Amino acid sequence: MRSEQRLHPATLVFDLITQIRRFALPALLVVVGASRSTGGPGGMFEWVPSGWESWLLVMLVPAGCMTVARYVSFRIRYDERELVLRSGLIFRNERHVPYARIQNLDAVQNPLHQLLHVVEVRVETGGGKEEEARLSVLSVAAFEAMKSHVLAGRAQSGAVINGASVEEPIAAGEPLVHLSLREVVLCGLLENKGMVLIGAAAGVGWEAGIFGGVPGRLFGQAQSLGWAVFGDLFDAASDRAPLLILRIGSAVALVLGVLLLIRLVSVAWALVRLYDFRLVRDGDDLRSTFGLFTRVATTVPVRRVQTVIVAAGPLHRWLGRVTVRVETAGGARDASGAARVREWLAPLLRRPELPALLRQVLPGVDLGSLPWQPLHPRAFARAVTPNLVMTAVVTIVAAIVIGWGAISVLLLLLPWALLGARLHVAHIGWADNDQVVAMRSGWLWQRMTIARVSKIQAVAMRHSPLDRRAAMARVRVDTAGASEFSRIDIPYLDGAVAKGLHGRLSAHAANTAFRW
């Protein structure tokens, strides 16, 4: 039998910290509630001593014993073609993970990991949304040995990138993407993630009554925060005008201050997450490292890339930047189903550098030669119909409620219905060849989605009653890693064109041996 390895002894420390975190909130409640114990004279349970709740913390002892048992029983073995993980003292569990199936080996190092020279390793395959295994913790040398075994096992299994070769070889270790400090700050400003954190903090503060006095200090009384404030704005002829101007100035300053704080929090969040972001190509893998305090090292095998998404908002286009991410088969996601940071190949990238990066991610594919095609000539008429129906419904309801004031509602909604449909249709395009099928969409937040033909799992042609009446159809393409927001779904195609596209993609999918 091949030699087996244990986890690093520091595993006991990290597992114990995890258990303490789980018990932190219950322990806090016990400590706070101990002074009002339900035991002793006058308590609900008079037959037990006062402060008996503190003994509940004894539950931490079994958790500590389980930590020791896990460390003692866990074993790692490297066979010729698979990674074997054994655990359990009473109930034995042995897991076999073929090297060829391992999609990612992600390593996470927080400051304590770095101090002890260990890493937490997450082993992912294409078999689900969760990690196949989480190894906490291995020494840095043991992690490097694991990577070597996995790479050697892949080579023996004959895993290749569909026979394609990289068109632009790069020097070993030369980064494909490197975010300087300036680019990280710019990424934080464009992502604006601080809105979520500030919103959550504001909600907690409001519920706690911290902000209860703010409206009164700004507007004289809390009731003025509603419609009365807007009434005060038109009270310029009264003696209160100077005070009103002061209040308006204070309110504007508060709003500007909150917006500035949101941007600063967004920048801080980006610095913590993406500091020194680097993406390099190592053989058939794309490796990225990032993080200020917690350093994360991730791997995405090029052969497992299913879909590439290039996105750009209004500010991105103004600054000449895009974001690039990929979706892989069965890649792990967070609780909300959103892709993890690992799948962001470039959180921010200069647009002129995009073709070179795509040539590394999609070997043998020249996006510049894709034959982009428009939609059906009557696509606008088809797209605007639901908008006009909704506008009519809202206008009729408004007429019942407010009478002739519904005319103003119609004047507001009708131009938006027409303009929105026109811009939506004008910015949709699609293309396909023997290697990829692509779609671009969006007039405000633009997106280009590219899927490998060799990774297509399902192709569907659909047509609603309105589509059938207009002799149109839509073609939907699914890959193993597609989410609702990244799958290719081309609408408003001519019926014959849709049928031809569906036939070509279906034939490619049927004649291609799918490789994970």
Side-chain angles (χ1 to χ4, degrees):
M1 179 180 293
R2 294 177 179 269
S3 62
E4 296 182 333
Q5 301 177 10
R6 286 185 175 181
L7 298 174
H8 192 277
T11 295
L12 297 171
V13 176
F14 288 95
D15 280 2
L16 185 59
I17 291 175
T18 301
Q19 298 296 342
I20 292 175
R21 286 177 179 173
R22 293 175 181 173
F23 278 87
L25 181 58
L28 179 62
L29 295 177
V30 167
V31 171
V32 172
S35 60
R36 304 173 61 181
S37 176
T38 57
M44 182 180 299
F45 307 104
E46 296 183 359
W47 60 89
V48 296
S50 179
W52 67 274
E53 292 88 349
S54 300
W55 288 95
L56 294 175
L57 297 181
V58 176
M59 294 298 296
L60 186 60
V61 175
C65 294
M66 291 178 62
T67 294
V68 175
R70 176 181 178 273
Y71 170 72
V72 171
S73 66
F74 200 93
R75 295 290 188 275
I76 303 172
R77 188 176 77 242
Y78 300 106
D79 286 349
E80 183 178 358
R81 294 184 178 276
E82 60 187 7
L83 172 67
V84 182
L85 306 174
R86 293 198 305 114
S87 61
L89 287 177
I90 301 177
F91 299 97
R92 299 294 180 88
N93 179 31
E94 184 169 292
R95 187 178 308 172
H96 294 252
V97 185
Y99 296 129
R101 297 289 186 182
I102 294 179
Q103 178 170 307
N104 306 295
L105 280 178
D106 294 351
V108 178
Q109 273 191 311
N110 62 30
L112 184 57
H113 287 104
Q114 297 173 31
L115 180 64
L116 298 177
H117 302 288
V118 295
V119 296
E120 178 182 297
V121 181
R122 298 167 183 172
V123 181
E124 295 181 2
T125 64
K129 295 184 178 180
E130 302 295 332
E131 297 100 349
E132 187 70 25
R134 180 174 295 197
L135 309 180
S136 176
V137 289
L138 294 176
S139 66
V140 174
F143 174 60
E144 293 298 329
M146 177 177 286
K147 288 198 299 184
S148 299
H149 281 289
V150 171
L151 291 176
R154 287 179 182 172
Q156 291 180 1
S157 67
V160 296
I161 312 174
N162 298 320
S165 59
V166 179
E167 293 186 0
E168 295 184 1
I170 59 174
E174 180 181 344
L176 296 172
V177 179
H178 177 220
L179 295 188
S180 63
L181 184 60
R182 177 177 178 273
E183 291 296 301
V184 172
V185 171
L186 184 58
C187 182
L189 292 174
L190 293 175
E191 280 191 337
N192 200 22
K193 295 293 186 181
M195 179 70 75
V196 178
L197 300 177
I198 296 296
V204 173
W206 191 274
E207 290 294 331
I210 298 176
F211 304 131
V214 174
R217 288 192 293 271
L218 289 177
F219 303 103
Q221 54 183 359
Q223 293 87 339
S224 296
L225 190 59
W227 289 103
V229 173
F230 297 98
D232 288 344
L233 296 178
F234 298 98
D235 197 14
S238 67
D239 294 336
R240 299 168 57 200
L243 182 59
L244 177 63
I245 293 175
L246 179 61
R247 292 173 180 169
I248 294 175
S250 300
V252 172
L254 177 63
V255 171
L256 294 178
V258 170
L259 293 178
L260 178 60
L261 180 61
I262 289 173
R263 294 295 180 178
L264 291 177
V265 172
S266 300
V267 170
W269 183 244
L271 286 172
V272 170
R273 290 189 309 139
L274 300 175
Y275 177 77
D276 195 27
F277 181 98
R278 292 175 182 269
L279 177 72
V280 300
R281 176 144 186 170
D282 183 5
D284 293 341
D285 295 334
L286 296 171
R287 303 187 185 277
S288 59
T289 56
F290 50 88
L292 181 58
F293 301 113
T294 299
R295 294 293 294 175
V296 180
T298 69
T299 303
V300 175
V302 174
R303 70 179 182 278
R304 299 192 188 277
V305 172
Q306 309 285 305
T307 308
V308 180
I309 301 98
V310 181
L315 291 179
H316 288 80
R317 296 197 299 276
W318 181 51
L319 297 172
R321 302 294 198 278
V322 296
T323 63
V324 183
R325 70 181 178 90
V326 298
E327 289 198 341
T328 56
R333 298 174 180 274
D334 58 24
S336 64
R340 293 189 342 189
V341 181
R342 169 178 56 79
E343 296 182 331
W344 288 97
L345 289 189
L348 198 66
L349 184 71
R350 297 178 185 273
R351 185 171 287 275
E353 299 172 1
L354 177 62
L357 176 61
L358 292 182
R359 280 192 290 271
Q360 297 292 332
V361 181
L362 299 171
V365 177
D366 182 11
L367 295 180
S369 63
L370 284 181
W372 290 99
Q373 302 183 43
L375 304 179
H376 193 284
R378 296 193 304 274
F380 168 71
R382 166 64 183 84
V384 79
T385 301
N387 293 0
L388 294 178
V389 171
M390 182 59 65
T391 299
V393 170
V394 173
T395 303
I396 292 173
V397 173
I400 296 173
V401 176
I402 61 176
W404 289 103
I407 296 178
S408 60
V409 175
L410 178 62
L411 293 178
L412 288 174
L413 294 182
L414 185 59
W416 177 252
L418 297 173
L419 181 62
R422 174 63 68 183
L423 293 174
H424 173 64
V425 169
H427 286 82
I428 295 179
W430 64 278
D432 76 301
N433 57 26
D434 292 339
Q435 296 172 310
V436 297
V437 56
M439 174 183 174
R440 56 189 181 191
S441 61
W443 59 275
L444 192 57
W445 283 274
Q446 296 181 355
R447 176 188 299 263
M448 178 172 62
T449 306
I450 309 160
R452 288 177 171 177
V453 170
S454 60
K455 301 297 184 180
I456 293 176
Q457 286 197 321
V459 184
M461 185 173 67
R462 303 180 178 182
H463 35 78
S464 66
L466 290 177
D467 288 331
R468 289 195 296 271
R469 184 175 181 275
M472 298 183 192
R474 64 191 309 138
V475 174
R476 178 169 174 169
V477 180
D478 283 302
T479 63
S483 66
E484 189 63 32
F485 299 100
S486 66
R487 61 170 43 97
I488 293 179
D489 192 359
I490 310 172
Y492 314 134
L493 294 176
D494 180 89
V497 173
K499 187 175 181 179
L501 176 62
H502 177 267
R504 290 195 303 273
L505 297 180
S506 299
H508 278 300
N511 296 325
T512 302
F514 187 79
R515 300 181 65 95
W516 289 92

